[in-house]
Amino acid sequence: MRILLLSDIHANYAALEAVIKDAGAFEQVWCLGDVVGYGPDPNECINRLLEFDLTCLAGNHDLGVTGKAALWDFTQDAREAIFWTRHALTTFNLDWLRSLPATNLSAGYGITLVHASPRDPVWEYIMTEEIAVKNLDMFNTPICLNGHTHFPAIFRKPWDGLKVLEEHLPVNSPIQFHPYDRVFINPGSVGQPRDEDPRAAYALIDLDQMTLTHHRVLYDVTATQTKMKAEKFPSRLTRRLRFGQ
Ligand code: ZN
């Protein structure tokens, strides 16, 4: 079975659509949260996701929009986008966002899904080996898939190793899951990459082979920026999409 793994779509429909086309055939979508916030297409993105057999977590921006996360924890630009999103969303889609779980979720197959980190599913950024180590005891499967940082990453503690080490997450080249390793894998952000590569990021998981393949795909950045300008989004949010920052 093939799974399309998405995170941090951030209401960027052009990016989401490019990813779906690039992915080819898949049976399910696992989405690690932050479907909305920052971008101009919250309804379009939710409606598109709901066409699939979907497992979806709430991210901090989803919780900000639904009033479940305090807004002073966000930057001014993020807050403005959250206010805009609240008004733009249909009642149905707002209710759907409200229904998303903000917890660690077992996906079966030895895989845990989380938006941020296992010990803080909403806010903690797994950016360093030190933080990855501190989260190892907070989930009990070999694999934890996380988002939130907008940086594709892999932190692994091999079954015969003592330390958690960051590894390079290759593009277009499958990595094998090992049942005795402990590993965090972040597929990067669909709608607002921050690793200085503006292409949309995602991953495909093959549950028969137990592999994950990271992908990047070009999308029409200008189309998203044009909508953001028309809706008077903060200019920094509009500009950063061009540079993947
Ligand atoms: Zn995010």
Side-chain angles (χ1 to χ4, degrees):
M1 180 157 69
R2 293 214 329 160
I3 309 291
L4 175 60
L5 177 66
L6 308 175
S7 194
D8 298 277
I9 297 164
H10 282 296
N12 187 338
Y13 181 73
L16 176 61
E17 201 54 48
V19 162
I20 290 168
K21 288 214 166 66
D22 193 60
F26 53 86
E27 280 77 46
Q28 289 182 18
V29 175
W30 294 353
C31 177
L32 303 177
D34 278 1
V35 176
V36 303
Y38 290 137
D41 311 306
N43 290 307
E44 293 82 350
C45 289
I46 293 172
N47 295 344
R48 190 71 169 109
L49 286 180
L50 289 176
E51 293 175 19
F52 300 104
D53 182 350
L54 175 69
T55 300
C56 190
L57 295 170
N60 50 312
H61 288 256
D62 307 317
L63 297 168
V65 167
T66 57
K68 291 181 174 180
L71 291 189
W72 55 74
D73 288 326
F74 292 88
T75 64
Q76 175 66 25
D77 286 350
R79 259 199 308 270
E80 280 186 39
I82 283 170
F83 287 130
W84 181 91
T85 305
R86 280 182 184 168
H87 288 104
L89 277 173
T90 64
T91 308
F92 180 90
N93 286 342
L94 196 56
D95 285 345
W96 178 77
L97 270 188
R98 224 174 251 131
S99 74
L100 298 178
T103 54
N104 305 341
L105 207 66
S106 169
Y109 308 94
I111 300 173
T112 297
L113 309 179
V114 67
H115 176 63
S117 80
R119 70 172 175 176
D120 178 354
V122 177
W123 281 108
E124 186 175 44
Y125 295 86
I126 302 181
M127 294 289 274
T128 63
E129 292 163 357
E130 195 186 356
I131 292 176
V133 168
K134 288 184 173 149
N135 275 282
L136 265 188
D137 293 336
M138 308 302 287
F139 69 105
N140 52 20
T141 57
I143 303 148
C144 178
L145 305 176
N146 67 290
H148 188 49
T149 67
H150 300 210
F151 280 83
I154 169 164
F155 293 93
R156 189 196 304 267
K157 182 174 184 289
W159 67 273
D160 58 350
L162 294 173
K163 291 172 79 174
V164 172
L165 296 171
E166 182 166 14
E167 297 173 10
H168 173 63
L169 182 57
V171 176
N172 297 332
S173 173
I175 56 168
Q176 186 75 46
F177 293 140
H178 288 286
Y180 304 112
D181 289 355
R182 306 295 307 286
V183 65
F184 295 95
I185 304 174
N186 186 326
S189 167
V190 172
Q192 197 201 74
R194 293 179 188 164
D195 59 343
E196 303 198 328
D197 180 345
R199 296 176 300 170
Y202 71 99
L204 281 164
I205 299 169
D206 185 325
L207 289 174
D208 303 312
Q209 305 293 328
M210 288 308 276
T211 60
L212 178 147
T213 311
H214 176 54
H215 296 279
R216 302 303 286 258
V217 60
L218 284 169
Y219 73 95
D220 189 348
V221 175
T222 306
T224 300
Q225 288 179 317
T226 302
K227 291 184 205 167
M228 291 173 78
K229 282 179 194 152
E231 294 293 335
K232 299 193 168 45
F233 273 69
S235 58
R236 183 173 173 271
L237 296 183
T238 308
R239 258 185 287 121
R240 71 190 301 178
L241 295 179
R242 175 71 55 207
F243 306 105
Q245 290 174 336

